[in-house]
Amino acid sequence: SQTIHQWPATLVQPVGSPLSLECTVEGTSNPNLYWYRQAAGRGLQLLFYSVGIGQISSEVPQNLSASRPQDRQFILSSKKLLLSDSGFYLCAWSDSSNQPQHFGDGTRLSIL
Amino acid sequence: SQQGEEDPQALSIQEGENATMNCSYKTSINNLQWYRQNSGRGLVHLILIRSNEREKHSGRLRVTLDTSKKSSSLLITASRAADTASYFCATDAGNQFYFGTGTSLTVIP
């Protein structure tokens, strides 16, 4: 069966520090991969999605970036975090664009 | 924007009652999905309804889709305390889905 792993579960970082969040999927190949951010009590904001290795589409201009170095690995990064980067970050995968998405348990990021 | 909007934002009912949540969207879709999110967790897919379908059932869930009104509803029958969660609709646009802001459902035992 397919599983998705996302870590760390919580992270506290100072303003200006770098960020690296990792997401891996097992049990499937060539999935679509997604990074979302959810502010407290709000909906999901799509940040990046990828349909294949090295193929990244950005939805929102910001100081975050994403990379897909392997088929089932999706990384969210930042060189210098801002206070506004705080939130709940969710990774998801799907077999294709019109199929259900399967989410990880999220990373709660707090910027101090 | 394509993003769906759920209504109401919050809903509180007694256990055993039915809960109805609505979703409206703005442009044509291929399908619409409903998800559930327990506090502090990832989203869990509940049901997918395609644009050529009008109604779909899954256990205690019933989803309707009216493409002429660009709206969908999620009905949870005989609610349980364990149904307490936030519920989101998601509409497709190319390679990605757009999620609404959700309905927070509280089921009181």
Side-chain angles (χ1 to χ4, degrees), chain B residues 79-96:
Chain B
S79 64
R80 306 167 182 168
D83 294 329
T84 295
S86 292
Y87 292 82
F88 296 87
C89 68
T91 52
D92 71 309
N95 283 319
Q96 65 269 28

Side-chain angles (χ1 to χ4, degrees), chain A residues 6-111:
Chain A
Q6 192 180 340
W7 66 92
T10 59
L11 189 60
V12 180
Q13 292 283 97
V15 171
S17 64
L19 173 74
S20 180
L21 301 180
E22 188 163 342
C23 173
T24 59
V25 180
E26 297 177 358
T28 188
S29 59
N30 197 32
N32 283 11
L33 296 172
Y34 309 85
W35 277 112
Y36 294 91
R37 177 169 59 203
Q38 185 178 31
R42 303 291 299 276
L44 276 69
Q45 179 187 36
L46 179 65
L47 301 176
F48 301 95
Y49 69 93
S50 171
V51 298
I53 295 175
Q55 300 178 59
I56 309 293
S57 296
S58 173
E59 285 293 298
V60 182
Q62 58 211 334
N63 69 320
L64 299 172
S65 62
S67 61
R68 185 170 178 173
Q70 300 180 46
D71 181 43
R72 290 167 289 177
Q73 184 185 29
F74 206 23
I75 298 172
L76 182 69
S77 304
S78 174
K79 293 181 179 179
K80 294 180 72 172
L81 285 167
L82 307 173
L83 283 174
S84 58
D85 291 324
S86 292
F88 190 47
Y89 288 82
L90 289 159
C91 180
W93 73 271
S94 66
D95 283 325
S96 64
S97 60
N98 60 355
Q99 293 298 310
Q101 295 189 10
H102 308 278
F103 285 79
D105 284 334
T107 294
R108 187 160 303 283
L109 175 64
S110 299
I111 310 299

